[in-house]
Amino acid sequence: MNVDTTTSAEELRHAMVDKIVEEHQWRGLPLRADVERALRKVPRELFVPGVSVEEAYADTAVITKRENNMNLSSVSAPNAIADMLNQAHGQHILEIGSGGYNAALLREIAGPNGSVTTVDIDEDVTDRARACLDAAGYTDVKVVCADAEFAIEPGRRYDLIIVTVGAWDVPPAWVSQLTDDGTLVVPLRTLGLTRSWALKRSGDRLISRSNLMAGFVPMRGAGAHKGRSVVLGDGVNLWLTEPDQHVDEGLEGVFSQERHEAPSGVIVSSGRQSPDLDLWLASHLPGFAALIAQQSAIDSGLVVPSWQYGTPALTRGATLAYQGRLRQVAEAEYEYVAYAHGPEAAWAAEAMAEEIRAWDQASRPAPVLHVVPGDTPDADLPEGRVVNKKHSRIIFTDPTK
Ligand SMILES: C[S@@+](CC[C@H](N)C(=O)[O-])C[C@H]1O[C@@H](n2cnc3c(N)ncnc32)[C@H](O)[C@@H]1O
């Protein structure tokens, strides 16, 4: 690499990090100093050979493996990585899903006495990560090829496990590989909503400390899980990720029926809707499901969702209600609104608006997630909405109760 390229890579890196820092500040989630330092230091261009230095610092994911139109592996976007790194500290760290770049950041954060192991199910990916880490001087990061559903280095425990692939469940090995007060950061899909949860171990349980919006390629191997899609209209589906989620027949074409609107009266000043409201609705509304819309269905006005990739929705019989896009009601005031179609549309829109008001009246809490072993009896569960996975039971609890 010649001197000019090095200088411009450094300049581009600092410019990218400046933006990430600013954006975190704006969201009220200031970036930790050690995370910022690592982002400023690790040369991302060495982890995405084959793309231009401008692309390396465009703050987007670089897809490194695709099959049958599916993204199987990528070097994640720095902004998304920064979010997760900001969620937890650790000195002895296991990263699940290897691109090389995040492992290098983690190596910086772990400090001189720390350690980083990164694991990927795919040998092409681990070979690539090993080569990039070596080229960038991170030779002491351990790279393992294995299915991370199972324990990686038997007998070893980590104070931080950071999962960089979309998971549907928390397998027992993730809990048992944590130190007694260790933290698992995992993008977990529940009821169609994916959040990066920071979960602290407490005995055989995990309890959340924070959650953030997240999106990752799905897990492969023994922990792979497929949801079901229910078509509502051209480019609009409900995505059912839990086996016991159910919708009735007769919803296809529901948008051809008149749209009812129910304003909630709940205002947000920033124009940024709260992801905590989605989780509240998921855990409080009977018949909850996440609605996914293609851009074409939004552009045509068929559907006006709050968020394209997982809008809170509910169904009852052949009726659908969903959370609409925030509606501007004054200069800096935006209102949450519910829309519904179908035979019981007026009731359904109002039911959703009422639940939005309930969340507001409860002071807009973020739920606390508990993850307990799958064989935990009902009597030993905290109060809340229970979602049963293959290995674990997941409970959304209300911190205000
Ligand atoms: C988004 S990429 C990881 C990005 C990476 N952390 C980085 O530095 O940007 C997700 C990776 O998870 C891997 N993966 C999927 N299922 C897995 C499993 N069961 N065990 C280990 N790795 C898995 C994929 O092969 C893919 O490379």
Side-chain angles (χ1 to χ4, degrees), residues 44 47-48 61-65 71-78 81 84 95-106 118-126 128-129 144-150 152 162-166 174 215-224:
R44 189 169 191 256
F47 293 89
V48 286
V62 174
I63 307 302
T64 50
K65 188 160 186 172
N71 294 338
L72 295 183
S73 188
S74 64
V75 175
S76 305
I81 287 181
M84 291 182 87
E95 180 198 34
I96 295 178
S98 314
Y101 177 58
N102 191 39
L105 294 171
L106 288 167
T118 181
V119 57
D120 203 286
I121 196 167
D122 192 325
E123 203 167 5
D124 291 348
V125 176
T126 49
R128 190 190 163 284
V144 178
C145 184
D147 185 342
E149 175 87 352
F150 310 104
I152 304 307
I162 182 157
V163 183
T164 63
V165 59
W174 293 0
F216 278 88
V217 299
M219 182 124 170
R220 293 186 270 162

